[in-house]
Amino acid sequence: MTVKIYRGLHGTKHDLGNAHPESPDRLFAIDDQLLASGLDMVCEHADAKPIAEAHLQLAHDPNYIKSVFERAAQANFGDKAQTLYAGEKQNIAWLDEDTGLMRHSLTAALESAGAGCEAVDWVMSGEDRQAFCATRPPGHHATYDSAMGFCFFNNIVIAARYALQHYELKRVAIVDFDVHHGNGTESIVAGDQRIMLLSSFQHPFYPHTGSPVLASNILSVPLEAGTTGDVFRNKVQHWFDAIRNFKPELILVSAGFDAHAEDPMAHLRLVEDDYFWISQHLRAIADECCSGRIVSMLEGGYDLSALGRSVVAHIKGMSQHHSE
């Protein structure tokens, strides 16, 4: 087992109220299932450090980054404000209707982005290495100059561009199977031919983007509400040859598990075995193309039991050598 799990110390402290779906309980649920499955004992573990502020510019407008830091200071010291979701008295600076900063949020977001870069460092420093970043907040809705959909910084794009810059890679593949289209990721990497983005999502659905695609380096699979695992597998099957032909030197995964049949936020019908299936295929391609190197980062997933079970299936899938 070569999977390393990165956690952020502030990931469970970023808390926008009991009724907010992107809650600290998500990480507790993942940890519970990792323990119950025995995976926690066989994986390596690391605490993510906050990313260097300069690295945020790999994906974001410097003025936007500055504004997030300024709004975070307001959350620390500003007037009391009602949270949008629970009516609790907290200092929260809302960047959009569901993306807010309380006093631990900025550090959590910096750790979440930092985890991706640290995971890249780890997988690039050896062969046959995979990493899973069990961090929050997520990132794939964050655009070049705005927060959106629970996301402050685009963790997966930062990790991709960090790998390209620091390891002089020429090709990185990003696979995003979250139920919501990663509009931020697509908008930032569109036209960057060093990055191939392969994305599946419920459509039409929030954030109402993704079809048609923005550029030739993007492969998009819109899925109708009610889509089952069998249909999903059939529709993304062509990804695998596309990735092989691209010959990535690193595979990154925006791992959202809200397409699960039990998830309350959407209407797809995937189950754990579907996540195992796609993760195992990605591992096989990584073995062929890039010495097994995969970095996966948590995005969505809001039914706590389904989320924990799906993460276990995902880690098992990407940790199994394809000859096993």
Side-chain angles (χ1 to χ4, degrees):
M1 175 73 69
T2 53
V3 177
K4 191 167 187 175
I5 297 173
Y6 287 83
R7 293 176 172 87
L9 294 174
H10 288 76
T12 56
K13 296 180 180 179
H14 163 56
D15 189 350
L16 300 177
N18 294 335
H20 197 288
E22 208 289 283
S23 76
D25 289 343
R26 300 177 67 229
L27 297 185
F28 295 131
I30 290 170
D31 285 347
D32 287 348
Q33 291 288 347
L34 288 172
L35 281 167
S37 69
L39 276 181
D40 201 63
M41 299 296 290
V42 295
C43 291
E44 296 187 42
H45 300 275
D47 291 328
K49 295 181 284 292
I51 195 170
E53 192 177 336
H55 288 152
L56 296 174
Q57 294 185 35
L58 292 166
H60 294 290
D61 178 350
N63 290 324
Y64 167 65
I65 297 165
K66 183 167 176 275
S67 76
V68 173
F69 277 77
E70 288 171 352
R71 295 298 301 279
Q74 290 176 19
N76 277 328
F77 306 115
D79 294 334
K80 291 287 184 186
Q82 294 288 99
T83 79
L84 204 78
Y85 282 92
E88 301 159 1
K89 292 285 191 178
Q90 260 197 97
N91 296 337
I92 294 186
W94 291 99
L95 305 188
D96 83 346
E97 63 187 8
D98 51 22
T99 311
L101 291 157
M102 47 79 73
R103 64 193 181 96
H104 297 297
S105 302
L106 178 60
T107 305
L110 294 173
E111 289 173 352
S112 211
C117 296
E118 290 180 54
V120 166
D121 286 338
W122 187 72
V123 302
M124 292 304 298
S125 63
E127 295 192 353
D128 190 17
R129 290 183 170 188
Q130 304 81 41
F132 179 71
C133 300
T135 56
R136 51 180 293 274
H140 75 155
H141 293 307
T143 69
Y144 177 67
D145 58 4
S146 66
M148 181 178 174
F150 315 152
C151 305
F152 302 99
F153 303 123
N154 199 300
N155 307 318
I156 206 82
V157 175
I158 292 167
R161 294 236 171 108
Y162 176 84
L164 290 163
Q165 183 180 89
H166 286 259
Y167 294 94
E168 298 182 348
L169 303 187
K170 293 180 173 60
R171 293 173 307 282
V172 172
I174 299 174
V175 177
D176 184 337
F177 48 70
D178 192 279
V179 81
H180 303 99
H181 176 243
N183 60 299
T185 304
E186 177 165 339
S187 66
I188 297 170
V189 307
D192 185 344
Q193 297 299 329
R194 304 171 301 169
I195 299 173
M196 170 181 274
L197 171 62
L198 307 100
S199 157
S200 63
F201 48 91
Q202 183 176 327
H203 185 79
F205 198 51
Y206 179 89
H208 308 289
T209 53
S211 183
V213 298
L214 299 179
S216 63
N217 61 317
I218 294 153
L219 275 180
S220 204
V221 174
L223 300 167
E224 294 181 1
T227 294
T228 60
D230 288 347
V231 176
F232 165 78
R233 295 185 192 201
N234 185 52
K235 285 184 175 288
V236 303
Q237 187 79 40
H238 70 283
W239 282 0
F240 306 135
D241 283 340
I243 300 171
R244 285 186 177 94
N245 292 337
F246 182 65
K247 296 183 173 62
E249 296 160 290
L250 173 67
I251 293 175
L252 303 180
V253 183
S254 266
F257 300 98
D258 37 8
H260 194 285
E262 294 169 26
D263 199 283
M265 295 273 281
H267 315 96
L268 300 188
R269 310 297 300 166
L270 305 193
V271 295
E272 296 94 298
D273 196 51
D274 297 311
Y275 294 116
F276 177 82
W277 174 85
I278 192 166
S279 306
Q280 197 173 40
H281 275 281
L282 293 175
R283 171 60 196 272
I285 297 166
D287 284 342
E288 292 174 38
C289 297
C290 50
S291 302
R293 296 184 177 109
I294 301 175
V295 171
S296 174
M297 306 193 75
L298 180 65
E299 299 284 1
Y302 304 99
D303 180 89
L304 298 179
S305 176
L307 171 63
R309 300 187 326 259
S310 298
V311 168
V312 167
H314 173 55
I315 291 175
K316 284 182 175 177
M318 70 175 180
S319 67
Q320 290 194 2
H321 194 279
H322 67 281
S323 64
E324 291 176 7

